[in-house]
Amino acid sequence: MPAGRVLVDTSLSEAGNALTDEMLRKCMQNRELSWLQFNERVLEEADKPENPLFERFFFLSIFTSNLDEFYMIRVGGLCDHELNKTGVTDNKTGMGASEQLALIYEATVRLYAKRDAVCKKLEAELAEEGIGRLAVQGAAASITKKHQRLLDAYFDSQIQPLLAPQIIDQSHPFPHLENNRQIIALYLEAKGGKAVFGIIPVPNGAERMFFLSEDLYILLEDIILLYCEKVFKRYKVVEKAVICVTRNADIVADEERFDEDEDFIEHMSKILKKRRRLSPVRLEARDGNCPKIVSYLQKKLSLAPAQTFYCTSPLVMSHLMTFRDKMAPYIRPKAAPLLQKKEHVYPPFEPAAAQYAVLNGEMMRRVRFGDVLLYHPYDSIQPFFSLIREAAEDRHVISIQITLYRIAEQSKLVEHLILAAENGKEVYVFIELRARMDEENNIVWAKRMEEAGCHVFFGPQGFKLHAKICLITRHEGQKNEYITHIGTGNYNEKTARLYTDVSIITANEQVGRDAAHFFNNMKIGAHDDGGAYELFWVAPDGFKTELIRHIERESAYADRGRITIKCNSLTDRDVIIALVKASMAGTKIDLIVRGICCLTARMPGLTDNIRVRSIVGRFLEHARVYRFGSGEDCSIYIGSGDMMTRNTERRVELFTPVLDQGARKRVSAMLDVMLADNVKAREMDGDGRYAHVKAGVATEQEVVAVDQEVAAAEQEVAVAQARDTEQEGDAAGQEGDVAVRDDDAAPELWAAGAVAARLWSAGAATATAEAALICDAPQTGYVPPVSAMLDSQQYFITEASENSVIENNKTYTKRYSADSFIRRLLSLFRVNRKA
């Protein structure tokens, strides 16, 4: 039992056992409304002037695509419940489908207004930099004769040949309007005054942006809107608008009729075709002066007025994903100073090479000396790919087994797996064809791997296979050797550069046995077999049970209990109840939940001891980490699942304990950094709303104390580096150029992390983007010794904020950014390490 932690009398938890539904309702939120709050936090990032301008456009695009998928899946499912009168209610709030939909529609109207305001502001800022968007409707329309000539020529040669206009009358039935495709809708008047409805689908193959000059562009839909009278020249245009229809895409493959003689890939292909024609759930109209069009479409699509949303900003914002790249070809550098300003985009980021993880470029040999922990995107995913490539060519490797959920369109990993199969290895690939919105891509890869000789399996019937695990089996001499990789994110090269995820590569025999057992279960269609795993938590049978057991164990320590969980969402009612009871027992709980959180923190008498924070920034916070206890005796698990009912009950998820001492320290340090973030973090209040964590202030005495802490840490680093050099020399003589084990190799990481943790807990000034202290250097002229740990002065904040305090003519500001601090810690971790 950890020192200082004593099990309390169970009677202290009697209040928790007496929880009533009324008490629980006070500290629970609706899942859908909580998600909308999360997406609003994404939109707020687009409105932050401290974020680079082009990155703010990117956040605006993410908000829009998020909302599109929310309506296709979540609102689509609720509409089905409402239509079928299933009587299904939210088990947190008791609301039925109709009540939830009414609140969703109400919140959406507010979000559209906020998005329009943010878009208008961003375009105004872009115009100040010399790049504008041409408006074709309203008071902002300003088309010159020169613009008109350019547009006439462009429309006639490039756009009109691609158009497929259509009128709707007795001879032309109402067409299928594609999901999320922009359409120019027109209310027309024929000769004699007869009303006719017309449409022009915006072509998918045309360039979305057309530059009229080096400082002015127009969107494709606006060009068509401008020339629709020319397209329907036989009619008078009464109303015209850009519209978009969103359709229900909430199809569950296992609920569809499946012929046992039918190939599952063929079955999924049919499902995808059906999805494209499902019922509408939302109508969007750009610019509100089109009542006849909206009324007509509402009737034809069976949509209520509450399901119609008006806006002034573009309906589809996918062009903003690569906004800067799209503009660059049309703009000469001298005429486009904006594109030359680094502050308008994030600084280039390349994942670290993780040299400490590689031994002479041989990952299989390196893992024998200790576990390798990778934290993406700060660490590159390349060491794992190198491992698979080595295994494909190692004559002692018998098999490679792996689960795949979302695969990159251009996948090196799959290429390595195919190479392994061609080299005679047994390659077992368990691919999930029902990965939402990635089904088609997964089908393509499944066919290719089958053709190459891989053994391709699909997830067990009734459950999505969401686990992230790979097992390499070697046989050399008389012994089998296992190398296992387990992570929190997908085996996807693209998302590994955009999402924060943790993964571990280990040669631990117990982990390997559990991995082999897991894959054997998958081959026979069994997701679990009654808890036979030595170490793993496996959903749907074991994850929730073990998670609640660990929560209850910490609850038994009362106010000495500690729980820290980082995940994407929290919706599972049973888990929420366990956390509330632990809070009532006095256990301190920190939840870092990026997205949905159905638990309300800081409720008097219920969740007083629970702190909920969300971090939204440059990278998508995606890692799932569960820590119980504190210090060296804590237990840490990483894995694929969130605390959502779909993960705990309807998916195959997998978690492993982090056993290596060094890896456990690193994961703990990362969690502590996130709990200290006061730049990107928001915390939930007792009403379920989120507010930015405010930066604190530091006195001059605290700054001096920080200097002393840092000086001591730097001395510890110097001593450790000298020690490591000697150890590496000794090891090299015995085993070649051997890398030092993780738990012995990074004292500077723990020194820096410990400084940061102590500073935060003491309320002293902590470091900005990358280290342990920050102050307003230009005003004070004060540069602390910790600057030696930084690459340059650029990491210091250069202007005072409202949270600064002026004392003795010096300005001190406490700010702390988790993502960049972790990046620096990992860089420090590789100081003077041999490749």
Side-chain angles (χ1 to χ4, degrees), residues 4-15:
R5 292 184 6 128
V6 180
L7 289 170
V8 300
D9 191 302
T10 54
S11 62
L12 293 177
S13 300
E14 288 180 359

Side-chain angles (χ1 to χ4, degrees), residues 411-424:
S411 178
K412 290 182 181 178
L413 172 61
V414 174
E415 298 293 345
H416 295 340
L417 293 172
I418 289 174
L419 174 64
E422 291 173 345
N423 287 345

Side-chain angles (χ1 to χ4, degrees), residues 384 388 400-405 413 428-430 465-472 483-491 503-504 506 511-519 522 533 536 538 639-640 652-656:
F384 171 68
I388 300 300
I400 302 173
Q401 303 181 77
I402 191 170
T403 59
L404 297 177
Y405 192 74
L413 172 61
Y428 299 92
V429 180
F430 297 79
L465 178 55
H466 195 245
K468 325 295 185 187
I469 181 172
C470 177
L471 176 65
I472 298 169
I483 296 176
T484 312
H485 177 274
I486 299 171
T488 66
N490 298 302
Y491 293 116
S503 66
I504 194 163
T506 180
V511 173
R513 285 199 301 267
D514 269 8
H517 191 58
F518 172 81
F519 280 112
M522 290 299 100
Y533 295 105
F536 288 176
V538 177
S640 58
V652 177
E653 308 281 5
L654 186 145
F655 295 80
T656 184

Side-chain angles (χ1 to χ4, degrees), residues 468-586:
K468 325 295 185 187
I469 181 172
C470 177
L471 176 65
I472 298 169
T473 304
R474 297 179 80 251
H475 183 82
E476 190 172 2
Q478 300 298 315
K479 184 180 178 182
N480 281 341
E481 175 188 5
Y482 298 119
I483 296 176
T484 312
H485 177 274
I486 299 171
T488 66
N490 298 302
Y491 293 116
N492 186 307
E493 295 95 314
K494 182 178 179 180
T495 57
R497 298 175 66 92
L498 302 173
Y499 299 176
T500 67
D501 274 302
V502 181
S503 66
I504 194 163
I505 307 173
T506 180
N508 182 285
E509 191 173 341
Q510 278 184 295
V511 173
R513 285 199 301 267
D514 269 8
H517 191 58
F518 172 81
F519 280 112
N520 286 339
N521 281 341
M522 290 299 100
K523 290 169 191 171
I524 62 173
H527 43 77
D528 200 357
D529 58 354
Y533 295 105
E534 296 179 65
L535 301 173
F536 288 176
W537 299 352
V538 177
D541 297 313
F543 170 33
K544 185 192 287 193
T545 301
E546 288 297 328
L547 177 58
I548 292 176
R549 185 174 71 83
H550 278 68
I551 293 171
E552 291 175 343
R553 186 192 69 184
E554 288 303 310
S555 176
Y557 291 115
D559 61 354
R560 294 185 181 276
R562 294 290 183 273
I563 298 171
T564 307
I565 296 175
K566 181 186 183 302
C567 63
N568 299 313
S569 298
L570 167 58
T571 68
D572 189 288
R573 191 173 189 273
D574 297 329
V575 175
I576 291 173
I577 291 172
L579 290 168
V580 173
K581 288 181 177 181
S583 171
M584 294 173 72

Side-chain angles (χ1 to χ4, degrees), residues 110-130:
R110 181 177 58 82
L111 288 176
Y112 270 99
K114 191 169 184 176
R115 184 184 71 168
D116 284 346
V118 172
C119 186
K120 184 177 180 180
K121 181 189 294 186
L122 292 180
E123 290 189 333
E125 289 185 33
L126 192 63
E128 289 177 5
E129 297 284 357

Side-chain angles (χ1 to χ4, degrees), residues 594-612:
R594 184 198 75 225
I596 305 165
C597 184
C598 293
L599 181 151
T600 303
R602 306 304 191 191
M603 294 292 293
L606 294 168
T607 58
D608 315 65
N609 292 304
I610 299 178
R611 177 170 62 156
V612 176

Side-chain angles (χ1 to χ4, degrees), residues 245-263:
V245 175
T246 304
R247 295 183 177 275
N248 183 352
D250 187 34
I251 294 183
V252 179
D254 290 321
E255 292 177 357
E256 297 296 310
R257 183 174 180 178
F258 178 54
D259 187 340
E260 291 184 3
D261 296 327
E262 183 181 23
D263 182 88

Side-chain angles (χ1 to χ4, degrees), residues 619-638:
F619 302 119
L620 183 76
E621 292 294 330
H622 193 252
R624 289 97 169 195
V625 182
Y626 298 78
R627 181 175 68 183
F628 305 94
S630 57
E632 293 185 359
D633 295 313
C634 69
S635 299
I636 296 178
Y637 286 79
I638 65 169

